[in-house]
Amino acid sequence: MIVLKIAFALDCTGSMGPWIHEAKTRIAEIVEEVHRDQPSTHIEVALVAYRDYGDTIRRRVVDFTSPQQVVSTLQNIEASGGDDEAEDIAGALDRVCGLTWGPSDIRMVFHIADAPAHGRRFHLPRVSDRFPEGDPDGVDLITCLRHLANQDVDFTFVRITSSTDMMIDVFQHIYTEENGRFRVIDLNPQSYDGRYGPRRENMAELLSPAVTRSVSQAVSRYTSSQDM
């Protein structure tokens, strides 16, 4: 039996409504589809839902459990908050590091966000950020990323807007330095809607099949490596 642990880090600020809805309706389906494709897997799911400093509920964390339990928590979460554009990603990934990752054969994070982390190294000057020097609690986002990479956690960032591009470059650089596996699911060009540009509703609907493919590929890689 292959033990697979999947954590979702989900931005839950005001602009993320379609994505939260998709997570509510699709997480259990994603697990079921992967299990049908890869019946030798035991899958557990975790959630770190986050907003920003000053929001009434800054984050909610569900450690690895059944997908139904994660979906149950999501039912009580709505898109709200987020005063400036940058969000509390350092705090969110610090909680991801603290999840119960072992023992497991495959470890994956899917980070779904439309805004960058606090700290000017993670975004362009035009991005509003109350904490341009970085996380006000002193959480080092780079240390979090190195820890995840060294724990063999595959990191997938779901790109929604260009405002996260600088952050993605930093994440990818750190993961490459640590010989970790980092990839980007870029849903923006796939959802282009004529002259009106990409629609978030269309993009959100593409999330489930993209995540399912990524997880199935990870299981196939692991199975092949065990046969060598």
Side-chain angles (χ1 to χ4, degrees):
M1 184 66 69
I2 299 170
V3 178
L4 169 60
K5 293 194 174 183
I6 306 171
F8 290 91
L10 179 61
D11 180 348
C12 291
T13 53
S15 57
M16 290 291 291
W19 303 90
I20 297 170
H21 174 75
E22 188 71 1
K24 288 177 180 179
T25 58
R26 301 296 185 188
I27 283 180
E29 292 180 14
I30 290 169
V31 172
E32 289 171 5
E33 287 184 33
V34 172
H35 197 264
R36 279 197 297 270
D37 186 47
Q38 306 283 352
S40 62
T41 56
H42 170 74
I43 303 174
E44 297 179 13
V45 181
L47 172 70
V48 176
Y50 68 92
R51 294 190 177 96
D52 199 10
Y53 286 90
D55 291 330
T56 303
I57 300 176
R58 193 163 128 205
R59 66 178 74 92
R60 290 186 182 175
V61 179
V62 180
D63 208 340
F64 289 105
T65 183
S66 69
Q68 291 78 16
Q69 186 61 47
V70 169
V71 171
S72 176
T73 299
L74 279 167
Q75 297 307 318
N76 299 316
I77 295 176
E78 301 295 336
S80 65
D83 184 25
D84 54 359
E85 189 172 353
E87 309 295 5
D88 182 24
I89 290 176
L93 293 189
D94 182 57
R95 297 308 188 275
V96 170
C97 288
L99 296 172
T100 311
W101 286 102
S104 51
D105 300 302
I106 303 171
R107 305 171 180 182
M108 306 184 75
V109 173
F110 289 90
H111 186 182
I112 307 164
D114 66 352
H118 289 293
R120 58 174 59 93
R121 72 176 298 184
F122 299 111
H123 56 72
L124 295 171
R126 63 175 172 78
V127 173
S128 61
D129 186 353
R130 291 173 294 161
F131 307 110
E133 300 302 318
D135 184 81
D137 285 343
V139 177
D140 186 352
L141 182 50
I142 302 303
T143 298
C144 294
L145 290 166
R146 292 193 190 281
H147 175 81
L148 291 171
N150 289 322
Q151 293 296 312
D152 295 322
V153 178
D154 293 356
F155 198 112
T156 298
F157 189 88
V158 179
R159 180 182 182 269
I160 302 173
T161 70
S162 61
S163 68
T164 57
D165 286 353
M166 277 184 63
M167 182 178 73
I168 290 171
D169 288 343
V170 174
F171 282 19
Q172 190 151 27
H173 176 73
I174 296 301
Y175 250 71
T176 300
E177 282 189 339
E178 302 297 331
N179 296 314
R181 184 181 295 276
F182 181 91
R183 70 184 296 252
V184 177
I185 295 178
D186 189 355
L187 298 183
N188 196 298
Q190 300 179 54
S191 62
Y192 192 78
D193 185 23
R195 63 190 178 90
Y196 297 106
R199 296 182 57 194
R200 285 175 178 260
E201 292 81 3
N202 294 347
M203 294 166 70
E205 290 171 2
L206 295 167
L207 178 63
S208 176
V211 170
T212 301
R213 283 194 301 272
S214 183
V215 174
S216 293
Q217 290 167 1
V219 175
S220 296
R221 281 195 306 270
Y222 176 82
T223 302
S224 298
S225 71
Q226 298 304 298
D227 292 338
M228 295 175 63

